[in-house]
Amino acid sequence: MVRSSTLSIPESNDIPQHLAIIMDGNGRWATKRFLPRTAGHFRGVQAVRRVVEACGERGVKYLTLFAFSSENWRRPKEEVSVLMRLFMQTLDKEISKLENQGVRLHIVGDLSAFEPKLQEMIKEAQARTAGNDALHLTIAANYGGRWDILQALRKLMIAKPELAAQSDAIAESELAPYLSMAYAPEPDLFIRTGGEQRISNFLIWQLAYTELYFSDDFWPDFGAKELDAAFEWYRTRERRFGRTSAQLAK
Ligand code: IPE
Ligand code: IPE
Ligand code: MG
């Protein structure tokens, strides 16, 4: 399945088919309340629950959440370790509910860096929900957009070594199937909470034609109401994909 916004024009809908979110501002949410940063991460999990549920109700088909970037290892050791523990606890606690709600869970990123127990849990959680199709929930963990492009290129070169000698033949459509989210269409809408307006090495290939929405809310404060505001903004966008406005009116 190769769906590329630079090769073909995706259908436009009122509700994004694929929503990608950088859940940012947990630390500042906590600091503002004189709490340790990790308290913000715990509260952030509640926001994840709210947003997964709201997306399901609104008919979003693919929801992708940036949980831990390849650069987040640079944080203090204690914070990284709390995040890992929280990831395991949440997976453990939520998996049955997700399974029953028809959610298919995908974890993308360089998982080899995680401790074996977490890798095992990830494998099991993905297997348990593999038959579901109502909502594809992707958690990007130890993910980096540049890592994704490089790992795709490496896989392509292994699968088709003859391409090395004819680099002109390496088309977009050759590489795309090896990207870690090849099972999903490209995001229609991107939301970043926490007030920063940057991509921070998220899905840099896949966001080529995504509508970008920035919210000043900290992630623990984000919920259905804030999501609806983003969707309302999304509906006002004119997605031209290179064409003129007049062409769209036809
Ligand atoms: C996002 O919140 C969560 C992760 C990166 C894991 P932050 O922890 O980045 O919160 P701020 O940006 O410091 O407020
Ligand atoms: C991006 O947030 C990564 C996640 C939300 C997981 P960061 O808070 O790490 O991003 P920067 O470092 O401020 O750009
Ligand atoms: Mg941040």
Side-chain angles (χ1 to χ4, degrees):
M1 173 177 36
V2 181
R3 288 182 260 189
S4 164
S5 55
T6 48
L7 296 179
S8 64
I9 298 165
E11 209 183 303
S12 279
N13 292 307
D14 279 353
I15 294 288
Q17 198 192 3
H18 183 175
L19 168 63
I21 306 181
I22 295 187
M23 312 182 286
D24 197 21
N26 291 351
R28 281 164 288 158
W29 180 93
T31 304
K32 212 175 84 179
R33 288 166 176 77
F34 306 102
L35 294 168
R37 290 177 51 83
T38 47
H41 298 316
F42 282 94
R43 280 298 282 259
V45 174
Q46 294 177 19
V48 170
R49 264 189 228 115
R50 289 196 296 270
V51 168
V52 170
E53 202 170 298
C55 282
E57 286 165 5
R58 284 155 186 73
V60 171
K61 195 78 190 158
Y62 298 87
L63 172 63
T64 302
L65 304 175
F66 204 4
F68 192 86
S69 76
S70 41
E71 289 69 39
N72 286 146
W73 295 107
R74 293 174 179 152
R75 293 193 177 195
K77 218 169 67 223
E78 306 74 50
E79 184 169 341
V80 171
S81 121
V82 168
L83 284 168
M84 292 300 146
R85 234 179 322 129
L86 188 60
F87 189 22
M88 288 205 263
Q89 278 171 7
T90 309
L91 208 55
D92 194 41
K93 231 163 97 186
E94 303 293 324
I95 190 66
S96 299
K97 203 163 85 194
L98 295 175
E99 191 180 2
N100 296 332
Q101 286 171 339
V103 175
R104 177 157 183 188
L105 187 68
H106 308 259
I107 316 283
V108 298
D110 182 2
L111 306 182
S112 68
F114 294 136
E115 60 172 281
K117 179 156 182 275
L118 180 52
Q119 289 188 42
E120 200 44 52
M121 286 175 76
I122 288 172
K123 225 192 265 167
E124 196 191 307
Q126 293 188 130
R128 266 177 75 174
T129 62
N132 286 342
D133 189 43
L135 171 67
H136 289 252
L137 172 62
T138 302
I139 306 294
N142 193 22
Y143 180 87
R146 291 183 178 178
W147 164 84
D148 198 3
I149 294 168
L150 283 175
Q151 68 80 29
L153 187 63
R154 288 190 198 110
K155 282 188 185 144
L156 173 64
M157 294 330 261
I158 290 169
K160 299 182 178 174
E162 67 280 8
L163 284 179
Q166 31 166 335
S167 56
D168 287 354
I170 308 178
E172 204 183 293
S173 56
E174 291 276 1
L175 188 72
Y178 295 97
L179 291 167
S180 54
M181 290 201 63
Y183 54 85
E186 291 171 8
D188 303 293
L189 176 64
F190 159 97
I191 296 175
R192 182 176 185 140
T193 61
E196 308 294 354
Q197 306 203 353
R198 54 178 174 251
I199 303 292
S200 301
N201 198 18
F202 196 22
L203 302 156
I204 49 182
W205 174 287
Q206 298 87 338
L207 292 174
Y209 261 111
T210 304
E211 299 297 329
L212 307 178
Y213 180 86
F214 298 95
S215 159
D216 287 333
D217 293 312
F218 293 138
W219 176 249
D221 292 327
F222 203 82
K225 189 171 120 252
E226 291 71 24
L227 187 72
D228 284 335
F231 286 179
E232 206 174 296
W233 173 86
Y234 173 75
R235 279 194 279 278
T236 66
R237 299 291 90 203
E238 184 177 68
R239 303 192 73 193
R240 293 192 284 275
F241 296 100
R243 298 162 298 173
T244 67
S245 242
Q247 284 176 296
L248 289 180
K250 270 192 220 146

